Amino acid sequence: MPEYVLIVTSVADLDLVELESETGLRCTPDPPEVRIEGELVDRAALHGVLGRIHDAGAELVELRRTGDRGS
């Protein structure tokens, strides 16, 4: 599965605990930003996470695909 690192601006409306539990991603606050990383099954899952970030009013600072584990 592809692995990603996303850096976003920290906003109160982005529920990191919920995001972690629903996606399996790790969310690490590093004010004023949040680092979100882990595996996503496909592009649709990535776009779902990006949509949540957008809907929460956070700004995407960086998106990096770090590799594929197990392929």
Side-chain angles (χ1 to χ4, degrees), residues 3-29:
E3 293 182 0
Y4 294 92
V5 173
L6 298 88
I7 308 294
V8 302
T9 56
S10 180
V11 294
D13 289 343
L14 184 59
D15 187 335
L16 300 180
V17 173
E18 183 179 288
L19 184 64
E20 283 183 326
S21 69
E22 291 180 1
T23 64
L25 297 171
R26 293 173 305 282
C27 300
T28 308

Side-chain angles (χ1 to χ4, degrees), residues 6 14 19 43-58 60:
L6 298 88
L14 184 59
L19 184 64
R43 286 186 189 182
L46 173 61
H47 284 274
V49 171
L50 292 173
R52 291 177 71 157
I53 290 166
H54 177 269
D55 292 347
L60 180 64

Side-chain angles (χ1 to χ4, degrees), residues 52-70:
R52 291 177 71 157
I53 290 166
H54 177 269
D55 292 347
E59 179 182 342
L60 180 64
V61 176
E62 180 179 342
L63 169 61
R64 191 169 5 120
R65 184 173 172 166
T66 58
D68 287 318
R69 194 185 283 183

